[in-house]
Amino acid sequence: MSAPPALSRRKFRRRAEARPDEVLDAALDLFIRFGFAATRVEDIARRAGLSKGAVYLYYPSKQAIMQALIERAVVPIAARAEELGRNEGDDPRRTLAAIVRMLGGGVADPRIAAIPKIIIGEAGNFPELAESYRRKVIERGLGALTAVLRRGVETGHFRALDPELAVRNVVGPLLAHLLLAQVFGLRPAGDPATAGDGGAEDDEGAAMSRFLDSHLDILLNGLLATAPDGSDDRPDDASGGRPR
Amino acid sequence: MSAPPALSRRKFRRRAEARPDEVLDAALDLFIRFGFAATRVEDIARRAGLSKGAVYLYYPSKQAIMQALIERAVVPIAARAEELGRNEGDDPRRTLAAIVRMLGGGVADPRIAAIPKIIIGEAGNFPELAESYRRKVIERGLGALTAVLRRGVETGHFRALDPELAVRNVVGPLLAHLLLAQVFGLRPAGDPATAGDGGAEDDEGAAMSRFLDSHLDILLNGLLATAPDGSDDRPDDASGGRPR
Amino acid sequence: MSAPPALSRRKFRRRAEARPDEVLDAALDLFIRFGFAATRVEDIARRAGLSKGAVYLYYPSKQAIMQALIERAVVPIAARAEELGRNEGDDPRRTLAAIVRMLGGGVADPRIAAIPKIIIGEAGNFPELAESYRRKVIERGLGALTAVLRRGVETGHFRALDPELAVRNVVGPLLAHLLLAQVFGLRPAGDPATAGDGGAEDDEGAAMSRFLDSHLDILLNGLLATAPDGSDDRPDDASGGRPR
Amino acid sequence: MSAPPALSRRKFRRRAEARPDEVLDAALDLFIRFGFAATRVEDIARRAGLSKGAVYLYYPSKQAIMQALIERAVVPIAARAEELGRNEGDDPRRTLAAIVRMLGGGVADPRIAAIPKIIIGEAGNFPELAESYRRKVIERGLGALTAVLRRGVETGHFRALDPELAVRNVVGPLLAHLLLAQVFGLRPAGDPATAGDGGAEDDEGAAMSRFLDSHLDILLNGLLATAPDGSDDRPDDASGGRPR
DNA sequence: CATGAATGAGGTTTCATTCAT
DNA sequence: TATGAATGAAACCTCATTCAT
């Protein structure tokens, strides 16, 4: 992402400190395409431009690569969620919307969206993986959201709901959106989503944007057509506008 | 579970038509605990009281066992969703709530809840499994829900939302609830959920009930504290009551 | 082959003594098509119209079926060769030709031709099979031919060749013809040989006849264009005529 | 057989380019003794001084080992036959004899003679093996011989026989000789032939030589005692002389 | 740092054969 | 006689990991 200070010797870089990250890049590419189990360490090595043995100089096991991948790709998201959630002064509605949109950004990035599916799949085989993900991602991210919900209930911005239950309504739709696409290739109609590589990322982004609008609108305002007088006097809508 | 009337001849039980189901029971138990890939056919056999080879008398492959499991456990749920959705005369709010509660019932049953996780995990390795699940479960279930949403929008019971997006808000929270429990062992506080065998099923059911109330309430009414006057004149609430 | 005395009850025949032969028929069909190893006992059973277990009432093992098949199909041929060879009064040339033509008849019958190939293939796995075939077929058949050759040398009808070596020139071409067809599907050009079921058996027979003429002609007269005067005064040619 | 010059580093022999050939050697030994199907990859590995997995570093499957064996041992023979056959200037009798003697050399070498038997045996189970053998060995070798025969007929050196049929008389006796020995352990009397390893290879060679003389004599001159005047005026005998 | 040859445990599937009925 | 459910050994191939160089 951030360019290294000296690119001039890139071709000749020996003992590059970038190696671990290159391994991670390669691994992620392959995990996304073939899954964790079906990806061989040798493939990762080849794609990273080194030998099988060399991979083990950087990571002690295939599992550790996955671990590092989580750390690199997903933990920052949880951290960002925590950070956004700490803006205690803010209107909780706005905070919630901000976090959801941020998470949506992650879901829209294929390099991030692939992770949860892999975790779910490998949780049985590699309990430590699941455990670490739970501790570092789920609990922090969900904790931040739960806290915002709790605060909103306390401030009267949200109705009196159990935040621990309500948080499932916050992340669930994102999860559903992600898994429908990742596992079953299902995307909302009018959303070509171009399986190809060069894919129209704008489309993907636009589709996600539409979905986030819809999600936040439903989450905050509900599905029901409210009584004619009731709907208008909601003060300021944090959701960023109703979908057309 | 229920003891067969005559156990005396158990050793000689031949041509047991129950065998296929016994294999499925055993397989499900193990798939739940260890996942599909990590469960060996021999383990399934032993747990079903058979030899390895005998399993292949009933199912031609391990994958076929999974297939049958889906058929037995999950397809009926999708069918039931379709059925409920066909009650066109009904208030769409009531129909939607009925379907969600029915799905929640499935999620609360560990023998059913385990399936989606397995599918998600193995989708990469066994694309046909995912494909079949998509066709038989996802498309039917989601289709039913989408239709109800669309009808509700048309009748004016629901606000003008894109049903294909909104459906993610219907199933997503259920999915989140399921996966948090299945993958990470996370259940809402005050919900012991007893990993043990003798588990308090009442607790599980009660917890699910609380969650479903919350989910439907948020789904239908939104998170926001409505204007004081607006909340009361919503005609008949299909959600089955607000959580305390 | 030979019709059973009472065909009237064929449909109702219980405990038919024909059962063993029916098993053999079925086995041969399948061995021809799929080979010995690839044919399952259950398939034989099904084709013979009985259950897997029942096959074992008649033959103690799959190998024993093969054994019986040899006995039934090939041993008679060796016996016939011995018999023909015993016609000591005859001109050895005529005797030799008769045996070769008789063997050719066997080679032309797919139900017989399949056997040698199977034996060759399974000799390693089932030494007893090979051993039995050697004793009952090879040694008797080759013995008969060797004896004829020896006699011919003694009577001066044949040149002074080692009969044990020369016998390879008698059976070898037949073997080559058989294996080229059986193993590689190779038949002399102008020989459609119709893999199909309804196959023109006449063609097969005609082709074999042409081959036998050629074989005997070469065997007896050699390949070389003889000196103009030498070829005509050979007394009576036993080969049945030169090929056109 | 011959000891490698430096055995001291055997344990550390890395990047041995000889490995593939060692695997082939081991496989051939075992295929000869137990057949293709009955030989386990692990046995090949052990005999080659490797682990099971290492074999797969060199050959992707057991079938590929067989394929390579054919390539190594038999294809060169077919190529040599083609080459010899191309000597168009030569007397076809001499050419034919040269090819037959060359083939006989192959048949006398147990490491080569084993191959055809294996192919014949496994043709049913591994059709691709048979197909490849047919294309690379049978068609080329038989093609070369057929061409020589055809030329001989045209030049008048051979009588007017169908070359496609006559070729069976050329290779058949060799095949018979080979299979009698390989499958049934039958060798011409006065031919101890020592199944053991240290075997008197001279005997084997001498026996083969006797057989080739006999075969060519019969093939070219026929079995019949020719008319007293006819036998002597055959010009130059290409067969290398009558036996004894 | 880097290589890549080598290891060996591990699991699905097949099928001849047995045996209770 | 006949059934067919059940057994269990057997073998190919994969791949994470190690280690001599």
Side-chain angles (χ1 to χ4, degrees), chain C residues 3 12 21 34 44 57-58 72 77-78 90 97 104 114 126 128 140 172 179 185 192 204 207 223 240:
Chain C
F12 305 114
D21 251 334
F34 307 110
I44 298 174
L57 295 175
Y58 300 108
R72 188 181 73 162
I77 291 184
D90 253 26
F126 303 96
E128 306 144 49
R140 291 177 65 183
L179 290 177
E204 188 79 44
L223 220 47

Side-chain angles (χ1 to χ4, degrees), chain B residues 15 19 50-54 57-58:
Chain B
R15 52 193 81 176
R19 276 287 151 86
L50 286 165
S51 72
K52 199 178 1 168
L57 295 176
Y58 300 105

Side-chain angles (χ1 to χ4, degrees), chain A residues 50-106:
Chain A
L50 25 70
S51 74
K52 197 180 358 174
V55 169
Y56 284 87
L57 296 175
Y58 300 107
Y59 298 97
S61 74
K62 198 179 162 188
Q63 203 180 143
I65 297 177
M66 188 67 214
Q67 200 83 249
L69 228 31
I70 295 173
E71 217 83 24
R72 188 181 74 162
V74 190
V75 167
I77 292 184
R80 179 85 180 115
E82 274 186 326
E83 196 183 321
L84 288 171
R86 261 195 294 275
N87 269 345
E88 303 210 359
D90 253 25
D91 182 337
R93 295 168 295 186
R94 207 181 302 274
T95 303
L96 190 73
I99 296 179
V100 166
R101 288 185 186 284
M102 188 272 295
L103 294 177

